[in-house]
Structures are given as C-alpha cells and as structure tokens.
Amino acid sequence: MMLALDSSYTDAVLKRAITNQPVLTDSQRASSPDLAWVDTFSRALDTRFRFPGTNVRFGADFLLGLVPGLGDVLSMAFSGLLIVTMAKNGASAKLVARMLVNVLFDTLVGSIPVLGNIFDLFYKANYRNLELMREYYDGGKHRGSVWPLVAGIVAFLLVLLGITTWLIFAIFSWLSRLAPEAV
C-alpha cells in the first residue's frame, strides 16, 4: 500500500526527507517520549547527513552497511528496536507487518556488496516506517493489538531454531560416521 498520493502530502514527505525535519508532529512527539525518540533515531539512521552539493541524505544505516555482514546485522537490530518501540506505542499488527517487510527488504538487498550500499542511500526503511507510523496516527488507525503477530513470529523463530538444531545435530552425526576411527 502506497502512502497517500496527494501532492501536498508527497511534497511534505519529500521536504522532510531532504531537510531532515521531524516526521511526527509536535503533538505526536509530545504525546510520547518513545515516539519522539523513534523520530529522532530513525532520522539519525537514514537522513542525518547530506552529501555536499546534493539532496542525497544518508545516516548511520548507510555507514553501518559499509561493514560487510556485521553492519547489516546491526542495522537490522536497530530497525527492529524501532519497530518494537512503535508497537509498544499502538502500532497495529498490520502496520508492524508492513514495517517488518520494509526492514527485511532493506536488509536483504542491502547485504549485496556495493549495490546494496547504493540501494541503502535511497530506500531508507526506517524513515519509511516512520512515515507509515505518521500516516496511521493521522488516520486514527494507530490502535490495535500487535500480540497475534508477535506470537506468530516467536512461534516461527522457535520452529526455525528447532530445525536448525536438528540439522546441526544430523550433520555432525553424519560427519562422525564418515571420520576414520581413532586408533
């Protein structure tokens, strides 16, 4: 689902992205210190700095992406922390799912050497998620239960952990049968 196509709304979003202005309104920021923190931290990750002479902005997410592997993991962890904070402050399950898709897409494409770094300059998953949160607040859709989604994710991760553990055990068992016996 795209953000509203109203040109004044689109212009406002573009202006905030180019100038690194707060995304949430003053009243939204005042209603919750957590949301004010999310606004500030999201912008630090995605739009804090500007390449001189251009309107291209970047943040810590881009800089972390320059460190192969570890940078992408740290970036995903920071993004997850932002999503959890937004969920604690009323983001619905549908909104959280959309945010997770943004972060997973950013992480997968961003992990491609060189091209992923260029992609990170323009995709800005955290900033997109913050805009989604603002859209939900403006539309009055910000209340809902995220717990069914959280329970589903935890169940999925537990199943994934179980399968991974079983695979590791099976591989070591297979390798131990192939290894010559010690004399």
Side-chain angles (χ1 to χ4, degrees):
M1 182 176 197
M2 298 285 293
L3 289 175
L5 296 177
D6 176 19
S7 65
S8 63
Y9 180 80
T10 306
D11 291 344
V13 170
L14 185 59
K15 182 179 178 187
R16 280 192 302 272
I18 290 172
T19 60
N20 195 36
Q21 293 177 348
V23 172
L24 299 177
T25 64
D26 290 338
S27 64
Q28 289 166 340
R29 291 171 63 88
S31 71
S32 171
D34 286 347
L35 291 180
W37 175 81
V38 166
D39 192 337
T40 302
F41 195 63
S42 293
R43 290 181 296 115
L45 286 172
D46 286 343
T47 61
R48 175 65 180 101
F49 308 105
R50 182 178 54 86
F51 285 113
T54 71
N55 285 332
V56 178
R57 298 197 71 88
F58 66 98
D61 183 50
F62 171 74
L63 297 173
L64 287 170
L66 297 174
V67 180
L70 179 64
D72 294 321
V73 170
L74 284 173
S75 178
M76 190 168 87
F78 289 142
S79 297
L81 181 61
L82 292 172
I83 292 172
V84 166
T85 304
M86 287 187 248
K88 283 177 27 183
N89 284 278
S92 68
K94 181 180 176 184
L95 177 60
V96 170
R98 289 176 65 192
M99 291 176 177
L100 287 171
V101 167
N102 277 339
V103 169
L104 290 175
F105 183 64
D106 181 51
T107 301
L108 289 174
V109 177
S111 66
I112 300 170
V114 182
L115 291 176
N117 294 342
I118 295 168
F119 173 80
D120 276 342
L121 280 176
F122 299 100
Y123 189 68
K124 302 180 186 336
N126 300 304
Y127 194 84
R128 287 173 183 263
N129 287 344
L130 190 56
E131 285 289 349
L132 286 173
M133 187 70 177
R134 179 188 172 115
E135 179 183 312
Y136 266 64
Y137 264 92
D138 288 349
K141 306 176 192 173
H142 60 283
R143 294 291 170 220
S145 177
V146 75
W147 291 112
L149 178 67
V150 171
I153 291 171
V154 168
F156 173 76
L157 291 174
L158 288 174
V159 168
L160 190 62
L161 178 65
I163 290 171
T164 304
T165 303
W166 178 81
L167 278 174
I168 290 171
F169 179 75
I171 289 170
F172 278 117
S173 294
W174 178 70
L175 289 174
S176 69
R177 281 185 254 134
L178 289 178
E181 291 185 30
V183 177

